[in-house]
Amino acid sequence: MSPSKYIFLLCLLLVPLLGQAQKRPAPTLAKGQPIELLPGTRELIGGTFNGVEIRKLLGNVSMRQGTTLLYADSMYQYIGRNAIEAFSNVRIVQNDTITITGDRGTYDGDTRKARMVGNVTLRDPRMTLTTQVLDYDLTTSLAYYSTGGHLQDPENTLDSQLGYYNTVSKVFSFKRNVKLVTPENTIDTDTLQYNTISKIAYFYGPTRIKGKQGNLYAENGNYNTATKISNFARNAKIETPNYLLGGDKLYYDEARQYGLATGHVSMTSKKDNLEIRGDVGRYWRGQGRAKVYGSRAVMRNISDKDTLYLAADTLVSLEGRPPLNKAGVIYAYRKVQIFRADLQGRADSLTYDRQDSIIYLSHDPVLWNLSNQLTADSMEIRQRRGKIDQMRLYGHAFSIGEDTLKNYNQVKGRNMVAYFGEKAIKKIDVLGNAESLYYALEGDTAVSGINKSLSATMALRFAESKLQTISFLTNPEARFIPPSELKAEDSRLKDFRWRPTDRPTRRQVLGKHFAAPAKPRKKPTPKKKAASARKTPAKKPVTKPSKK
């Protein structure tokens, strides 16, 4: 179309508009800046379509409102209002930074709101968003979709059913079936906010992160996709091939393979029924090492019907090394306490080799089994099929058993091995400098004397927790002391020390971490109303006359 024809067509379109302006009152001023037609449109057709005055703009149409540019193969420009409808190869450019493309679009110049439909793409220097329908408010710089969207930035992709994007703050808000994929992880959640500048994702609901190094779960928190650092809260957990580490709050640095959990910390072994709880937990995945402490950390190990509880100031777990990843080792130190139905104990430090089911105690250890107390410089508890099989005592071994009359039967020596039956000691071997002191009873009601023995080695056998026989294997020396000759010093072997107050209770060992939940208080039963002070006089029984 030549320029002269173009100007002539414009004049024809303006004449009827001028005539109508003379007949009608002056229109209300538009709220927004008028949308301007830019040169280059090949054809303009004016008229009324479906009762609405429009002009059709055909071929390479471009329009402008302030710093916003609109392009399309064709457009409808509404005469009565500051709005357009665009078709085919539609494009909106704002401030030379935001570009939105689609198959079809509408734009209201007064409200400065646009809608793009069909193969929609929103681009800015940091990311690309694709969807089928997009609403964009140029005043608030907020884009919105509800038909599913896909975001792509140089490192990550993100999909969701609903999404909002602030083109100024560069913050996305996603809802429903949100999936964020990074080079190392896949993140699934229901509500997520993502900052395309800082690369930090914020979670506001149940969230799962699956990665090469393990999985994470939380119900609130954030994850920096650039630094690979997580800050999680509310039921946060790290899952590794061997353990599940959780707490109220969780910090995890993937680069350092280091995690920190605080508040109601728990570490659960996935290979057996072992769990550790405390206030603070630290985890070094590269070393396979975890440390739990605070308010007396507690370990619970369930085996068949028996449960072993172990409490200490600090518990450290070392995982089994690859490739076998067998059960590892638990280290406990400072004020260690043990509780099981058939065993209680304490020491300053302890090692639990879970592969061999051996527990090592050192630094003033003491163990109790039923009415027996065992002490030594160091000890081993050997288990078989979840039950105590042996106790080995090294250095200054001493065993004390209380009988029915509160007397103390005693055995001591350099080293000692106690063998167990179902739950009680069935045999004790004393190796080196063996000594024994046992009370002889008459029907469990009276003392008939004391048997004292010396030998290089000694073997004692028990039945139903009572001594049956003593075998002296090397250079024996024994004597019987009747009650009439008993002296105070005869009732105790050297280094005797009975420690019942040190024996830990179940409640002491479990502490707050495995405390039973508090039972709800029953509502008090309402009191019955007091009987009236004035009593209704009792009716006299009616006496029937007797028949004569």
Side-chain angles (χ1 to χ4, degrees), residues 242-529:
N242 294 330
Y243 284 99
L244 186 66
L245 176 65
D248 291 341
K249 294 182 179 179
L250 176 63
Y251 167 92
Y252 187 66
D253 186 335
E254 289 181 28
R256 296 166 55 203
Q257 298 188 39
Y258 167 74
L260 170 65
T262 57
H264 296 94
V265 172
S266 66
M267 187 180 70
T268 305
S269 171
K270 297 166 66 176
K271 297 193 174 187
D272 50 29
N273 295 317
L274 184 143
E275 181 180 7
I276 296 175
R277 296 184 185 180
D279 287 340
V280 182
R282 299 181 183 275
Y283 178 60
W284 296 266
R285 189 179 188 282
Q287 304 173 20
R289 178 170 174 259
K291 178 179 178 181
V292 181
Y293 56 95
S295 296
R296 301 285 292 161
V298 183
M299 181 200 79
R300 177 176 66 182
N301 190 197
I302 302 173
S303 178
D304 294 330
K305 295 182 180 179
D306 293 322
T307 301
L308 172 67
Y309 292 95
L310 188 158
D313 288 349
T314 303
L315 295 174
V316 176
S317 171
L318 283 182
E319 297 179 9
R321 307 307 299 166
L324 298 179
N325 282 327
K326 294 182 178 179
V329 180
I330 302 291
Y331 298 97
Y333 50 91
R334 304 292 181 271
K335 302 177 182 178
V336 178
Q337 293 177 317
I338 297 173
F339 184 90
R340 201 165 85 169
D342 58 344
L343 177 70
Q344 299 82 45
R346 65 169 60 232
D348 193 61
S349 60
L350 175 150
T351 301
Y352 178 21
D353 187 333
R354 294 167 52 217
Q355 179 63 36
D356 299 325
S357 296
I358 299 177
I359 299 175
Y360 304 88
L361 301 97
S362 61
H363 297 83
D364 193 26
V366 54
L367 294 171
W368 291 269
N369 169 250
L370 302 179
S371 61
N372 300 298
Q373 172 188 291
L374 298 98
T375 57
D377 293 344
S378 62
M379 297 183 184
E380 288 182 13
I381 303 173
R382 296 183 174 234
Q383 302 178 81
R384 180 181 293 177
R385 297 175 183 173
K387 298 182 181 297
I388 301 173
D389 182 54
Q390 296 179 23
M391 285 187 191
R392 299 193 174 196
L393 286 65
Y394 303 107
H396 300 94
F398 208 125
S399 172
I400 304 173
E402 190 177 43
D403 68 14
T404 55
L405 298 181
K406 304 297 182 182
N407 299 308
Y408 301 111
N409 298 315
Q410 304 153 50
V411 181
K412 62 178 293 188
R414 185 183 303 118
N415 300 317
M416 194 180 295
V417 181
Y419 300 90
F420 283 73
E422 184 61 27
K423 285 192 176 180
I425 296 173
K426 65 179 183 180
K427 180 185 176 184
I428 295 179
D429 288 340
V430 188
L431 310 173
N433 302 329
E435 296 182 54
S436 68
L437 184 157
Y438 268 83
Y439 283 80
L441 304 182
E442 295 180 358
D444 291 341
T445 59
V447 177
S448 60
I450 291 179
N451 291 296
K452 296 188 75 172
S453 309
L454 294 172
S455 179
T457 56
M458 191 181 294
L460 300 89
R461 286 177 172 79
F462 301 81
E464 297 180 356
S465 299
K466 294 181 180 179
L467 177 67
Q468 299 296 307
T469 62
I470 300 179
S471 301
F472 307 99
L473 305 180
T474 309
N475 303 323
E477 181 181 328
R479 66 190 181 103
F480 178 79
I481 306 173
S484 58
E485 299 179 14
L486 282 176
K487 298 178 183 178
E489 59 268 22
D490 293 329
S491 65
R492 301 285 189 270
L493 296 180
K494 186 181 178 181
D495 300 325
F496 172 91
R497 186 184 172 197
W498 180 245
R499 301 165 61 179
T501 57
D502 290 344
R503 190 171 190 168
T505 64
R506 186 177 188 274
R507 181 72 272 142
Q508 288 174 337
V509 178
L510 269 62
K512 70 175 187 179
H513 300 298
F514 285 97
K519 295 182 179 180
R521 292 184 178 182
K522 294 183 178 180
K523 294 183 179 179
T525 306
K527 295 181 179 179
K528 295 182 179 180
K529 293 183 178 179

